[in-house]
Amino acid sequence: DQQVKQNSPSLSVQEGRISILNCDYTNSMFDYFLWYKKYPAEGPTFLISISSIKDKNEDGRFTVFLNKSAKHLSLHIVPSQPGDSAVYFCAASAQGGSEKLVFGKGTKLTVNP
Amino acid sequence: DVKVTQSSRYLVKRTGEKVFLECVQDMDHENMFWYRQDPGLGLRLIYFSYDVKMKEKGDIPEGYSVSREKKERFSLILESASTNQTSMYLCASEDRRRTGNTIYFGEGSWLTVV
C-alpha cells in the first residue's frame, strides 16, 4: 500500500525550461509535505516544504503546489539548470513526528544543457 | 548548519560478519533515524530513536538493531550481514522542538555484502 506515489521514475528537460515533478498521495490525514533532492553517493537534502493550510510555497526557482482535493502536489523548477539533475523525493506526514514521514520512490530529473 | 556525519562511506563485508554503522550529529537533536535507500524502492525507515537509550522499529527492522548511548550518536548494527542488506544506509536527525518534519540526512554509507 503505497501512500505516496511518484509515478514518473524519470524526467528529462532542457536547460532553461520548466521541470514539473509530480507526487500523489492517498492518506487524507497527511498535513505536511516536503521535497528532498539527492545527488548520487550523497544523502538527501531538504529542498522545500508546504503545510496543508497553504496551496503554494515558493523559494527562489522552486515552487511547490498542493491540491488537497486531488491529493496531489507538484514541484516546479524554473528555470531548470544542469545542476538540478538529481533524484527528487516527495515525502508526507500526518500530524506526527518524522518517524511518520512517508517517502515516495523518487523521480530522477535530468536537465540537458 | 546541521551536520550529520556517517563515519564510513564505503564498506565491503562478508556474509555473516557483524557490521557497525556509526552516525553522529552536532546539533543536539533529540530524534535520529536510520534509513536504507534502494533503487526503485525509495527511502525506507529501519529504526528511529527519540532519546538516549530509546528506540523504535521502523518499517523494515528485521536483521538490524540499533544503539543510542549518547544523544549525539546513533549506531546501526547488522548482527549477521547478508547479501540482501547490500544497500545505501542513511542516518538522519531532527530537532523535534521545531515545527514541521524537516529531517537532515548524512551523506550515506554504501554497504556491500559479499
Side-chain angles (χ1 to χ4, degrees), chain A residues 31-32 34 36 38-46 49 87 89 93-101 103-106, chain B residues 9-10 31 33 35 37-38 40-45 48 59 88 90 94 99-108 110:
Chain A
D31 60 357
Y32 194 72
L34 307 92
Y36 281 83
K38 184 182 181 299
Y39 292 118
E42 293 185 13
T45 53
F46 169 74
S49 63
V87 176
F89 291 100
S93 69
Q95 297 179 338
S98 289
E99 69 274 14
K100 304 290 191 294
L101 264 181
F103 284 88
K105 293 185 178 181
Chain B
R9 293 298 313 276
Y10 301 96
N31 294 349
F33 310 83
Y35 289 85
Q37 189 215 343
D38 301 286
L41 295 178
L43 294 164
R44 295 181 292 168
L45 181 64
F48 67 94
D59 299 318
M88 183 182 197
L90 291 160
E94 177 198 28
T99 56
N101 302 119
T102 305
I103 62 175
Y104 298 91
F105 287 90
E107 291 194 333
W110 285 99

Short mmCIF file of all heavy atoms in Angstrom, two decimals, chain A residues 31-32 34 36 38-46 49 87 89 93-101 103-106, chain B residues 9-10 31 33 35 37-38 40-45 48 59 88 90 94 99-108 110:
data_model
loop_
_atom_site.label_atom_id
_atom_site.label_comp_id
_atom_site.label_asym_id
_atom_site.label_seq_id
_atom_site.Cartn_x
_atom_site.Cartn_y
_atom_site.Cartn_z
N ASP A 31 -0.67 16.18 6.43
CA ASP A 31 -0.84 17.63 6.56
C ASP A 31 0.46 18.41 6.36
O ASP A 31 0.49 19.62 6.52
CB ASP A 31 -1.46 17.97 7.91
CG ASP A 31 -0.60 17.51 9.08
OD1 ASP A 31 0.45 16.88 8.84
OD2 ASP A 31 -0.98 17.78 10.23
N TYR A 32 1.51 17.71 6.02
CA TYR A 32 2.78 18.38 5.80
C TYR A 32 3.53 17.62 4.74
O TYR A 32 3.61 16.38 4.80
CB TYR A 32 3.57 18.44 7.09
CG TYR A 32 4.74 19.41 7.07
CD1 TYR A 32 4.52 20.78 7.09
CD2 TYR A 32 6.05 18.94 7.05
CE1 TYR A 32 5.58 21.66 7.07
CE2 TYR A 32 7.11 19.83 7.04
CZ TYR A 32 6.87 21.19 7.04
OH TYR A 32 7.91 22.07 7.03
N LEU A 34 7.00 17.52 1.96
CA LEU A 34 8.35 18.00 1.75
C LEU A 34 8.90 17.44 0.45
O LEU A 34 8.48 16.37 -0.01
CB LEU A 34 9.29 17.55 2.88
CG LEU A 34 8.89 17.83 4.32
CD1 LEU A 34 8.11 16.67 4.92
CD2 LEU A 34 10.13 18.09 5.17
N TYR A 36 12.75 16.49 -1.14
CA TYR A 36 14.17 16.33 -0.91
C TYR A 36 14.83 16.08 -2.25
O TYR A 36 14.27 15.44 -3.15
CB TYR A 36 14.45 15.15 0.02
CG TYR A 36 14.24 15.43 1.48
CD1 TYR A 36 12.97 15.36 2.04
CD2 TYR A 36 15.30 15.79 2.29
CE1 TYR A 36 12.77 15.64 3.39
CE2 TYR A 36 15.12 16.06 3.64
CZ TYR A 36 13.85 15.98 4.17
OH TYR A 36 13.66 16.25 5.50
N LYS A 38 18.40 14.57 -4.07
CA LYS A 38 19.52 13.69 -3.76
C LYS A 38 20.42 13.51 -4.97
O LYS A 38 19.97 13.05 -6.02
CB LYS A 38 18.99 12.33 -3.28
CG LYS A 38 20.11 11.39 -2.84
CD LYS A 38 19.56 10.05 -2.41
CE LYS A 38 20.71 9.15 -1.95
NZ LYS A 38 21.71 8.90 -3.01
N TYR A 39 21.69 13.83 -4.76
CA TYR A 39 22.71 13.55 -5.77
C TYR A 39 23.26 12.14 -5.52
O TYR A 39 23.22 11.64 -4.39
CB TYR A 39 23.85 14.55 -5.70
CG TYR A 39 23.48 15.96 -6.10
CD1 TYR A 39 23.57 17.02 -5.19
CD2 TYR A 39 23.05 16.25 -7.39
CE1 TYR A 39 23.24 18.31 -5.55
CE2 TYR A 39 22.71 17.55 -7.75
CZ TYR A 39 22.81 18.56 -6.83
OH TYR A 39 22.48 19.85 -7.19
N PRO A 40 23.81 11.51 -6.56
CA PRO A 40 24.39 10.18 -6.36
C PRO A 40 25.46 10.19 -5.27
O PRO A 40 26.23 11.14 -5.17
CB PRO A 40 25.01 9.87 -7.74
CG PRO A 40 24.26 10.71 -8.70
CD PRO A 40 23.89 11.96 -7.96
N ALA A 41 25.50 9.16 -4.48
CA ALA A 41 26.51 8.97 -3.43
C ALA A 41 26.47 10.07 -2.36
O ALA A 41 27.45 10.27 -1.64
CB ALA A 41 27.91 8.87 -4.02
N GLU A 42 25.37 10.79 -2.26
CA GLU A 42 25.20 11.77 -1.20
C GLU A 42 23.86 11.54 -0.52
O GLU A 42 22.96 10.91 -1.09
CB GLU A 42 25.24 13.20 -1.74
CG GLU A 42 26.59 13.62 -2.28
CD GLU A 42 26.59 15.07 -2.69
OE1 GLU A 42 25.65 15.80 -2.34
OE2 GLU A 42 27.54 15.47 -3.39
N GLY A 43 23.72 12.07 0.69
CA GLY A 43 22.43 11.98 1.36
C GLY A 43 21.45 13.00 0.80
O GLY A 43 21.84 13.99 0.20
N PRO A 44 20.15 12.76 0.98
CA PRO A 44 19.15 13.72 0.53
C PRO A 44 19.28 15.05 1.28
O PRO A 44 19.63 15.07 2.46
CB PRO A 44 17.82 13.05 0.87
CG PRO A 44 18.14 11.61 1.05
CD PRO A 44 19.53 11.57 1.59
N THR A 45 19.00 16.13 0.59
CA THR A 45 18.98 17.44 1.23
C THR A 45 17.59 18.03 1.10
O THR A 45 16.95 17.91 0.05
CB THR A 45 20.02 18.40 0.62
OG1 THR A 45 19.82 18.45 -0.79
CG2 THR A 45 21.42 17.94 0.90
N PHE A 46 17.16 18.67 2.17
CA PHE A 46 15.84 19.28 2.18
C PHE A 46 15.78 20.40 1.15
O PHE A 46 16.71 21.21 1.05
CB PHE A 46 15.54 19.81 3.58
CG PHE A 46 14.33 20.68 3.64
CD1 PHE A 46 13.07 20.13 3.55
CD2 PHE A 46 14.46 22.05 3.80
CE1 PHE A 46 11.95 20.93 3.62
CE2 PHE A 46 13.35 22.87 3.86
CZ PHE A 46 12.08 22.31 3.77
N SER A 49 9.15 22.77 1.54
CA SER A 49 8.02 22.09 2.17
C SER A 49 6.76 22.93 2.05
O SER A 49 6.81 24.11 1.69
CB SER A 49 8.34 21.81 3.65
OG SER A 49 8.50 23.03 4.35
N VAL A 87 17.92 13.03 -8.06
CA VAL A 87 16.68 12.31 -7.75
C VAL A 87 15.91 13.15 -6.73
O VAL A 87 16.49 13.63 -5.75
CB VAL A 87 16.97 10.92 -7.17
CG1 VAL A 87 15.66 10.23 -6.77
CG2 VAL A 87 17.71 10.07 -8.19
N PHE A 89 12.76 13.31 -4.08
CA PHE A 89 11.83 12.53 -3.29
C PHE A 89 10.75 13.44 -2.71
O PHE A 89 11.05 14.49 -2.14
CB PHE A 89 12.56 11.84 -2.13
CG PHE A 89 13.49 10.74 -2.54
CD1 PHE A 89 14.85 10.97 -2.63
CD2 PHE A 89 13.01 9.48 -2.84
CE1 PHE A 89 15.72 9.97 -3.02
CE2 PHE A 89 13.87 8.46 -3.22
CZ PHE A 89 15.22 8.71 -3.32
N SER A 93 3.71 13.69 5.88
CA SER A 93 3.49 13.22 7.25
C SER A 93 2.12 13.67 7.73
O SER A 93 1.52 14.60 7.20
CB SER A 93 4.56 13.76 8.20
OG SER A 93 4.41 15.15 8.38
N ALA A 94 1.63 12.95 8.75
CA ALA A 94 0.29 13.21 9.27
C ALA A 94 0.37 13.50 10.76
O ALA A 94 0.35 12.58 11.58
CB ALA A 94 -0.62 12.01 9.02
N GLN A 95 0.50 14.79 11.09
CA GLN A 95 0.42 15.25 12.48
C GLN A 95 1.29 14.44 13.42
O GLN A 95 0.94 14.19 14.55
CB GLN A 95 -1.03 15.21 12.98
CG GLN A 95 -1.94 16.13 12.19
CD GLN A 95 -3.37 16.07 12.68
OE1 GLN A 95 -3.79 15.10 13.29
NE2 GLN A 95 -4.13 17.11 12.41
N GLY A 96 2.40 14.02 12.95
CA GLY A 96 3.26 13.23 13.81
C GLY A 96 4.69 13.66 13.69
O GLY A 96 5.01 14.64 13.06
N GLY A 97 5.55 12.92 14.32
CA GLY A 97 6.97 13.20 14.19
C GLY A 97 7.49 12.67 12.88
O GLY A 97 6.76 12.09 12.07
N SER A 98 8.76 12.90 12.65
CA SER A 98 9.33 12.50 11.37
C SER A 98 9.38 10.99 11.20
O SER A 98 9.61 10.51 10.09
CB SER A 98 10.72 13.11 11.19
OG SER A 98 10.61 14.48 10.98
N GLU A 99 9.18 10.22 12.27
CA GLU A 99 9.09 8.78 12.08
C GLU A 99 7.86 8.42 11.26
O GLU A 99 7.75 7.32 10.74
CB GLU A 99 9.07 8.05 13.42
CG GLU A 99 7.82 8.23 14.25
CD GLU A 99 7.87 9.47 15.11
OE1 GLU A 99 8.74 10.33 14.89
OE2 GLU A 99 7.03 9.58 16.02
N LYS A 100 6.96 9.40 11.17
CA LYS A 100 5.75 9.16 10.38
C LYS A 100 5.91 9.62 8.94
O LYS A 100 4.98 9.53 8.15
CB LYS A 100 4.56 9.89 11.00
CG LYS A 100 4.28 9.56 12.45
CD LYS A 100 3.75 8.16 12.62
CE LYS A 100 3.22 7.90 14.01
NZ LYS A 100 4.28 7.92 15.03
N LEU A 101 7.07 10.15 8.60
CA LEU A 101 7.29 10.60 7.23
C LEU A 101 7.23 9.41 6.28
O LEU A 101 7.85 8.38 6.52
CB LEU A 101 8.68 11.24 7.09
CG LEU A 101 8.80 12.75 7.19
CD1 LEU A 101 10.25 13.16 6.99
CD2 LEU A 101 7.92 13.47 6.20
N PHE A 103 7.93 8.41 2.37
CA PHE A 103 8.62 8.88 1.17
C PHE A 103 8.08 8.20 -0.08
O PHE A 103 7.72 7.02 -0.05
CB PHE A 103 10.12 8.58 1.27
CG PHE A 103 10.87 9.50 2.19
CD1 PHE A 103 10.97 9.21 3.54
CD2 PHE A 103 11.48 10.64 1.71
CE1 PHE A 103 11.67 10.05 4.39
CE2 PHE A 103 12.19 11.48 2.56
CZ PHE A 103 12.28 11.19 3.89
N GLY A 104 8.07 8.95 -1.17
CA GLY A 104 7.85 8.35 -2.47
C GLY A 104 9.12 7.67 -2.94
O GLY A 104 10.16 7.74 -2.28
N LYS A 105 9.04 7.01 -4.09
CA LYS A 105 10.18 6.24 -4.58
C LYS A 105 11.18 7.09 -5.35
O LYS A 105 12.24 6.61 -5.72
CB LYS A 105 9.69 5.08 -5.44
CG LYS A 105 8.93 4.04 -4.63
CD LYS A 105 8.55 2.82 -5.46
CE LYS A 105 7.83 1.80 -4.58
NZ LYS A 105 7.46 0.59 -5.33
N GLY A 106 10.82 8.33 -5.61
CA GLY A 106 11.76 9.24 -6.25
C GLY A 106 11.56 9.37 -7.74
O GLY A 106 11.07 8.45 -8.42
N ARG B 9 31.93 5.70 4.68
CA ARG B 9 31.21 5.97 3.45
C ARG B 9 31.05 4.71 2.60
O ARG B 9 30.02 4.51 1.98
CB ARG B 9 31.94 7.03 2.63
CG ARG B 9 31.98 8.40 3.23
CD ARG B 9 30.59 9.02 3.40
NE ARG B 9 29.73 8.92 2.25
CZ ARG B 9 29.73 9.76 1.21
NH1 ARG B 9 30.58 10.75 1.16
NH2 ARG B 9 28.88 9.59 0.21
N TYR B 10 32.09 3.89 2.56
CA TYR B 10 32.05 2.70 1.72
C TYR B 10 32.61 1.52 2.51
O TYR B 10 33.70 1.60 3.06
CB TYR B 10 32.88 2.90 0.45
CG TYR B 10 32.40 4.06 -0.39
CD1 TYR B 10 33.01 5.30 -0.27
CD2 TYR B 10 31.34 3.91 -1.27
CE1 TYR B 10 32.56 6.38 -1.02
CE2 TYR B 10 30.90 4.98 -2.03
CZ TYR B 10 31.50 6.21 -1.90
OH TYR B 10 31.06 7.28 -2.65
N ASN B 31 15.78 13.54 17.95
CA ASN B 31 15.38 12.42 17.09
C ASN B 31 16.48 12.04 16.11
O ASN B 31 17.09 12.90 15.48
CB ASN B 31 14.13 12.80 16.29
CG ASN B 31 12.91 13.01 17.16
OD1 ASN B 31 12.92 12.69 18.35
ND2 ASN B 31 11.87 13.56 16.58
N PHE B 33 17.47 8.83 13.07
CA PHE B 33 16.84 7.81 12.21
C PHE B 33 17.89 7.06 11.42
O PHE B 33 18.94 7.61 11.09
CB PHE B 33 15.89 8.49 11.20
CG PHE B 33 14.93 9.46 11.79
CD1 PHE B 33 15.30 10.77 12.05
CD2 PHE B 33 13.64 9.08 12.08
CE1 PHE B 33 14.42 11.68 12.59
CE2 PHE B 33 12.73 9.98 12.64
CZ PHE B 33 13.13 11.28 12.89
N TYR B 35 17.74 4.99 7.73
CA TYR B 35 17.00 4.57 6.54
C TYR B 35 17.94 3.75 5.66
O TYR B 35 19.15 3.85 5.74
CB TYR B 35 16.57 5.79 5.71
CG TYR B 35 15.47 6.63 6.29
CD1 TYR B 35 15.75 7.64 7.20
CD2 TYR B 35 14.16 6.45 5.90
CE1 TYR B 35 14.74 8.45 7.71
CE2 TYR B 35 13.13 7.25 6.40
CZ TYR B 35 13.45 8.24 7.30
OH TYR B 35 12.45 9.03 7.80
N GLN B 37 18.27 3.10 1.37
CA GLN B 37 17.75 3.51 0.08
C GLN B 37 18.16 2.51 -0.98
O GLN B 37 19.34 2.20 -1.13
CB GLN B 37 18.28 4.89 -0.32
CG GLN B 37 17.57 5.43 -1.55
CD GLN B 37 18.46 6.24 -2.47
OE1 GLN B 37 19.53 6.67 -2.06
NE2 GLN B 37 18.01 6.49 -3.68
N ASP B 38 17.18 2.00 -1.69
CA ASP B 38 17.43 1.06 -2.77
C ASP B 38 16.74 1.55 -4.03
O ASP B 38 15.65 2.12 -3.96
CB ASP B 38 16.89 -0.32 -2.39
CG ASP B 38 17.53 -0.86 -1.12
OD1 ASP B 38 18.70 -1.26 -1.21
OD2 ASP B 38 16.88 -0.87 -0.06
N GLY B 40 14.45 2.20 -6.95
CA GLY B 40 13.06 1.81 -7.18
C GLY B 40 12.24 1.59 -5.93
O GLY B 40 11.03 1.37 -6.02
N LEU B 41 12.88 1.66 -4.76
CA LEU B 41 12.15 1.44 -3.51
C LEU B 41 12.12 2.68 -2.63
O LEU B 41 11.46 2.69 -1.59
CB LEU B 41 12.77 0.28 -2.73
CG LEU B 41 12.68 -1.09 -3.39
CD1 LEU B 41 13.38 -2.14 -2.55
CD2 LEU B 41 11.22 -1.50 -3.63
N GLY B 42 12.85 3.70 -3.00
CA GLY B 42 12.84 4.93 -2.22
C GLY B 42 13.55 4.76 -0.89
O GLY B 42 14.45 3.93 -0.73
N LEU B 43 13.13 5.56 0.07
CA LEU B 43 13.73 5.55 1.41
C LEU B 43 12.82 4.78 2.36
O LEU B 43 11.64 5.08 2.48
CB LEU B 43 13.87 6.99 1.91
CG LEU B 43 14.86 7.86 1.14
CD1 LEU B 43 14.63 9.32 1.45
CD2 LEU B 43 16.27 7.46 1.49
N ARG B 44 13.41 3.82 3.04
CA ARG B 44 12.62 3.01 3.97
C ARG B 44 13.23 3.12 5.36
O ARG B 44 14.44 2.93 5.53
CB ARG B 44 12.56 1.56 3.50
CG ARG B 44 11.81 1.38 2.18
CD ARG B 44 11.76 -0.07 1.76
NE ARG B 44 13.06 -0.58 1.39
CZ ARG B 44 13.35 -1.86 1.21
NH1 ARG B 44 12.39 -2.78 1.39
NH2 ARG B 44 14.56 -2.24 0.85
N LEU B 45 12.38 3.36 6.34
CA LEU B 45 12.83 3.58 7.71
C LEU B 45 13.12 2.25 8.40
O LEU B 45 12.26 1.36 8.45
CB LEU B 45 11.76 4.35 8.49
CG LEU B 45 12.09 4.69 9.93
CD1 LEU B 45 13.29 5.62 10.03
CD2 LEU B 45 10.87 5.32 10.61
N PHE B 48 14.25 4.22 14.49
CA PHE B 48 14.45 5.59 14.92
C PHE B 48 14.56 5.64 16.44
O PHE B 48 14.21 4.69 17.15
CB PHE B 48 13.35 6.52 14.39
CG PHE B 48 11.99 6.26 14.97
CD1 PHE B 48 11.53 6.97 16.07
CD2 PHE B 48 11.16 5.32 14.39
CE1 PHE B 48 10.26 6.75 16.57
CE2 PHE B 48 9.89 5.09 14.89
CZ PHE B 48 9.45 5.80 15.99
N ASP B 59 9.87 0.62 9.46
CA ASP B 59 9.13 -0.25 8.55
C ASP B 59 9.84 -1.57 8.24
O ASP B 59 9.20 -2.56 7.93
CB ASP B 59 8.86 0.50 7.24
CG ASP B 59 8.04 1.75 7.48
OD1 ASP B 59 7.08 1.68 8.28
OD2 ASP B 59 8.36 2.80 6.89
N MET B 88 22.45 1.40 0.32
CA MET B 88 22.94 2.66 0.85
C MET B 88 22.17 2.95 2.13
O MET B 88 20.94 2.95 2.15
CB MET B 88 22.73 3.80 -0.14
CG MET B 88 23.30 5.12 0.37
SD MET B 88 23.00 6.47 -0.78
CE MET B 88 24.16 7.70 -0.20
N LEU B 90 21.32 5.52 5.25
CA LEU B 90 21.27 6.95 5.53
C LEU B 90 20.85 7.19 6.97
O LEU B 90 19.82 6.70 7.41
CB LEU B 90 20.28 7.64 4.60
CG LEU B 90 20.69 7.69 3.13
CD1 LEU B 90 19.48 7.92 2.24
CD2 LEU B 90 21.72 8.79 2.91
N GLU B 94 16.69 15.12 13.65
CA GLU B 94 15.64 16.13 13.63
C GLU B 94 15.54 16.79 15.00
O GLU B 94 15.64 16.12 16.03
CB GLU B 94 14.29 15.47 13.32
CG GLU B 94 13.11 16.45 13.34
CD GLU B 94 11.78 15.74 13.46
OE1 GLU B 94 11.72 14.64 14.03
OE2 GLU B 94 10.78 16.32 12.99
N THR B 99 8.73 23.15 14.57
CA THR B 99 7.54 22.68 13.85
C THR B 99 7.94 22.17 12.48
O THR B 99 8.97 22.53 11.94
CB THR B 99 6.51 23.82 13.69
OG1 THR B 99 7.15 24.92 13.01
CG2 THR B 99 6.03 24.29 15.04
N GLY B 100 7.10 21.35 11.94
CA GLY B 100 7.43 20.76 10.65
C GLY B 100 8.32 19.55 10.82
O GLY B 100 8.91 19.33 11.86
N ASN B 101 8.37 18.73 9.82
CA ASN B 101 9.12 17.49 9.91
C ASN B 101 10.35 17.52 9.02
O ASN B 101 10.54 16.65 8.20
CB ASN B 101 8.21 16.32 9.50
CG ASN B 101 6.99 16.25 10.38
OD1 ASN B 101 5.87 16.36 9.90
ND2 ASN B 101 7.21 16.10 11.66
N THR B 102 11.18 18.54 9.20
CA THR B 102 12.38 18.61 8.37
C THR B 102 13.47 17.80 9.03
O THR B 102 13.93 18.12 10.12
CB THR B 102 12.84 20.06 8.21
OG1 THR B 102 11.74 20.83 7.69
CG2 THR B 102 14.01 20.14 7.25
N ILE B 103 13.87 16.74 8.39
CA ILE B 103 14.97 15.94 8.91
C ILE B 103 16.20 16.16 8.04
O ILE B 103 16.09 16.49 6.86
CB ILE B 103 14.61 14.45 9.01
CG1 ILE B 103 14.30 13.85 7.64
CG2 ILE B 103 13.43 14.25 9.93
CD1 ILE B 103 14.06 12.34 7.72
N TYR B 104 17.35 16.01 8.65
CA TYR B 104 18.63 16.28 7.99
C TYR B 104 19.39 14.97 7.88
O TYR B 104 19.59 14.26 8.86
CB TYR B 104 19.42 17.30 8.80
CG TYR B 104 18.72 18.63 8.89
CD1 TYR B 104 17.85 18.90 9.94
CD2 TYR B 104 18.91 19.61 7.93
CE1 TYR B 104 17.18 20.10 10.02
CE2 TYR B 104 18.26 20.82 8.00
CZ TYR B 104 17.39 21.06 9.05
OH TYR B 104 16.74 22.26 9.12
N PHE B 105 19.84 14.70 6.67
CA PHE B 105 20.49 13.44 6.39
C PHE B 105 22.01 13.57 6.38
O PHE B 105 22.57 14.61 6.04
CB PHE B 105 20.06 12.92 5.02
CG PHE B 105 18.65 12.39 4.97
CD1 PHE B 105 17.60 13.22 4.67
CD2 PHE B 105 18.40 11.05 5.23
CE1 PHE B 105 16.30 12.74 4.62
CE2 PHE B 105 17.11 10.56 5.19
CZ PHE B 105 16.06 11.41 4.88
N GLY B 106 22.65 12.47 6.71
CA GLY B 106 24.09 12.35 6.49
C GLY B 106 24.35 12.02 5.03
O GLY B 106 23.43 11.91 4.22
N GLU B 107 25.63 11.84 4.70
CA GLU B 107 26.00 11.62 3.30
C GLU B 107 25.79 10.18 2.86
O GLU B 107 25.88 9.88 1.67
CB GLU B 107 27.45 12.03 3.09
CG GLU B 107 27.64 13.54 3.20
CD GLU B 107 28.98 13.98 2.66
OE1 GLU B 107 29.92 13.17 2.67
OE2 GLU B 107 29.07 15.14 2.21
N GLY B 108 25.51 9.31 3.77
CA GLY B 108 25.22 7.93 3.39
C GLY B 108 26.42 7.01 3.53
O GLY B 108 27.57 7.43 3.42
N TRP B 110 27.65 3.36 1.90
CA TRP B 110 27.41 2.30 0.92
C TRP B 110 27.97 0.99 1.48
O TRP B 110 29.15 0.86 1.70
CB TRP B 110 28.12 2.62 -0.39
CG TRP B 110 27.47 3.69 -1.19
CD1 TRP B 110 27.81 4.99 -1.27
CD2 TRP B 110 26.36 3.52 -2.08
NE1 TRP B 110 26.97 5.66 -2.14
CE2 TRP B 110 26.07 4.78 -2.66
CE3 TRP B 110 25.58 2.41 -2.46
CZ2 TRP B 110 25.04 4.97 -3.57
CZ3 TRP B 110 24.54 2.61 -3.36
CH2 TRP B 110 24.29 3.88 -3.91
#
